[in-house]
Each structure stands twice: as C-alpha cells, then as structure tokens.
Amino acid sequence: MSSTPLRCVLLSTTLGLRGYLAQELAKLDGKVTFVDHPDGIDPADVQMAIGWHPPPDAFDHYPNLKAVCSIAAGADSLLHCPSMRDGIDIVRVVEPAQAEMMSGFVAWHAISHQRQMGVYRQQQRDKIWQRQPQRRAADVPVGILGYGAIGARVASDLAMLGFPVKVWSRTAKPTTAGVLGFSGNDGLDRMLDDSEILVNLLPLTSETRGILNASLFAKLRRGAYLIHVGRGPHLVDADLFAALGNGQLSGAAIDVFHVEPLPVDSPFWTHPNIVLTPHDACDASLAAIGKTIRATAEAVQAGVKPKDTVDRGRGY
C-alpha cells in the first residue's frame, strides 16, 4: 500500500460505521484516512467509500470516487442508490463462514417444519401432551432458489440430512451429489413442482423482484413452507398472506422485509404461522469486512479493479 494515506468516506444513514468498524479501521491507521460524510473535507480528495444504506445523493459529492465497499455479502443499498454512477466499483464481502451460518439457519427451519415444531410450541402453550405423526426428511422435498456459494452449501448440507434437494439458478451450474439442478424458465417450474419447502437465496435483480408471488406459490406442494432469506422485495407480502390463509402455504420463516426495521404495526409480527427474525440469518464477521476494506484500498491505490466487485449487469 502507498505511503500516502488513501482518503475513504463513511456513508450510512442507518449505522454508525466508525463505531461499528472501529477495531478494523484502526488497523489501517496511517494507510487510510477515514472521514465522515459530510465532513468539511475537499470531496475531490476522496477515492474510496464504505457504504451501508447511504444518503440518496451521497455519490454526487465525490467526483473522484473509485470504489465503495459494502459491509455484507449484499450490496443492494449501494446498487440502487439514486446517485450511484458508472465507474464506481461496488465491492461486497465474501466469507465462507457466512455460508456455514446460513446453512445452519435454513436447516433449523427445515427440520422445524419436518418435525412440526410449530405445533409442539402451540401445544406447550396450551398444555397439551400429544405426539404428532413423524416424517422422515426423505419425505419432505426441498427446492432452493439461488445456487451461488451460499446456496451450494445450504443444498449440500440439506442433502446430507436426508432431504431430497432441487436447486434453481439463472444459468446451468454443476451440482454436488444428492442435488438436482435446474435453470431457465422451464427449469424453475420443474424445480418448484412437488417441493414442500422452498428456500429463497436469490440476489435482488429486476428479474427476481416480486418472484415470491401467488403464481409461484401455486406451483409448490399444497401446505408448503417458505424460508425467505433473500431480500425483502423478492416477496409480494399480500400474496404470502393469501397463500397462508388458503392453505397453499402452511407457514413461513421470514428474515428479510421491504422495510427494516419492521414497523410495529406490521401483520408479520402477529401471524400465527410466521416465524420472523430481524435480518439475522447470517452476517459477515468484522474481520472479513476489514480484510475486504484493506484489499479494496490496495486495489484503488494500485489502479486495478478490486476483488469481489459486483457485476452490475447481473446485480451481484
């Protein structure tokens, strides 16, 4: 890294990035100068940013910005920021441990559905001692939307637990043992057919926005269960509640929402067949974020494209 400190601006409307990343930023002291937005500095001096839900006009202020780091695997708030422009590399955090955490989270919900843990929780509240019929994992087919690094880990782990697993991706990809792969529009219908658990791990693009809708739910096995850990705008909320109401879906685990934090008057809070979590299925470690920031800073100073830059055409 150059002996001249690189100037990096912190851009967020929802998180105090300086405090959150304090230990990792300190490791780059003397090599990167971190400034807050707006901070009375010459905006032309800023070549790098760290962003998480930045102000809508944030990128208008920095004409020489070369790259912006997300602090997670997702970069939607940067991609869709109104002031984002061509020529700024958007970098996401890639960490194998995230796939492990996500896989455990999905497996927890899949087994909970298979073993009717929701029924048992209600029976406990009602003080009812009653055993429920048991099913093997082999009797509960799982379909997974999205087969990137995280989807591959989730699919492999569920297959090892005994679930029949089908996956769908935009383009054809090789799959591991016990996992059937599908792609394209026809492949989506074939993947959905007879799936009882549907796991959404898709990135958010113009093609995937609103994909979790009534038409898609109707193609699943009746009484199916949704595990939604993609992005809030993938889901058509009204269609979810309708599918839960008519029995097409028996339940749903929802970790991501259109508006976060979830408003206190949202019907998601009180629906008896929804388990919700506060966008906490998995998270990038601070060490991984710090590693990404350093690598991006080095790339900017060297005048090369940073590693793990988002392909804007694909949206991830």
Side-chain angles (χ1 to χ4, degrees):
M1 189 174 286
S2 168
S3 58
T4 303
L6 180 74
R7 188 150 291 189
C8 176
V9 66
L10 306 176
L11 303 170
S12 180
T13 59
T14 63
L15 182 64
L17 291 174
R18 186 177 291 278
Y20 180 64
L21 299 173
Q23 288 186 330
E24 298 305 318
L25 301 187
K27 295 176 184 177
L28 291 169
D29 187 39
K31 299 174 182 177
V32 180
T33 300
F34 296 97
V35 296
D36 297 298
H37 169 82
D39 200 23
I41 57 162
D42 184 352
D45 291 342
V46 174
Q47 291 185 281
M48 178 179 159
I50 301 171
W52 186 250
H53 297 278
D57 66 345
F59 299 102
D60 290 335
H61 294 267
Y62 305 102
N64 296 319
L65 195 65
K66 302 294 191 299
V68 54
C69 283
S70 175
I71 60 169
D76 304 329
S77 71
L78 304 177
L79 276 165
H80 303 299
C81 183
S83 59
M84 177 54 66
R85 62 182 183 272
D86 293 340
I88 300 176
D89 288 320
I90 300 173
V91 183
R92 64 193 186 96
V93 180
V94 176
E95 182 184 23
Q98 284 187 278
E100 176 187 338
M101 293 294 290
M102 179 65 82
S103 183
F105 185 88
V106 171
W108 167 42
H109 285 295
I111 294 170
S112 180
H113 170 74
Q114 172 210 347
R115 296 302 304 270
Q116 301 192 69
M117 292 303 170
V119 175
Y120 284 126
R121 284 192 292 270
Q122 185 59 54
Q123 286 185 184
Q124 179 181 349
R125 288 190 288 268
D126 296 338
K127 300 180 181 179
I128 296 173
W129 183 274
Q130 181 176 321
R131 299 178 69 180
Q132 297 297 320
Q134 294 188 7
R135 290 192 298 165
R136 298 166 55 241
D139 299 325
V140 185
V142 177
I144 299 176
L145 294 167
Y147 196 62
I150 291 179
R153 175 63 185 265
V154 171
S156 178
D157 287 353
L158 289 176
M160 285 193 293
L161 288 170
F163 292 95
V165 178
K166 296 183 290 184
V167 300
W168 179 83
S169 54
R170 185 176 60 88
T171 57
K173 296 180 180 179
T175 57
T176 56
V179 178
L180 294 176
F182 299 88
S183 61
N185 292 333
D186 292 342
L188 178 59
D189 287 347
R190 292 168 61 197
M191 188 279 285
L192 294 170
D193 183 45
D194 202 41
S195 288
E196 182 173 329
I197 295 175
L198 181 67
V199 183
N200 176 45
L201 287 163
L202 289 168
L204 181 63
T205 67
S206 57
E207 290 79 19
T208 64
R209 186 178 295 270
I211 192 172
L212 300 178
N213 55 38
S215 175
L216 181 141
F217 297 148
K219 296 170 184 175
L220 300 168
R221 177 183 287 185
R222 184 162 180 81
Y225 192 86
L226 173 66
I227 302 174
H228 179 29
V229 285
R231 294 290 181 267
H234 285 140
L235 178 64
V236 179
D237 293 355
D239 288 1
L240 170 67
F241 288 111
L244 290 169
N246 64 31
Q248 180 57 26
L249 294 181
S250 63
I254 312 294
D255 186 58
V256 291
F257 303 86
H258 286 265
V259 178
E260 297 180 2
L262 189 65
V264 295
D265 60 350
S266 170
F268 281 99
W269 287 111
T270 54
H271 197 288
N273 296 328
I274 290 177
V275 177
L276 67 83
T277 44
H279 203 146
D280 197 39
C282 71
D283 214 350
S285 69
L286 291 176
I289 298 170
K291 182 179 179 181
T292 300
I293 293 169
R294 181 183 180 90
T296 301
E298 290 174 346
V300 169
Q301 289 197 318
V304 299
K305 196 174 194 67
K307 184 183 178 184
D308 300 318
T309 295
V310 170
D311 181 331
R312 296 209 194 180
R314 295 189 303 174
Y316 55 94

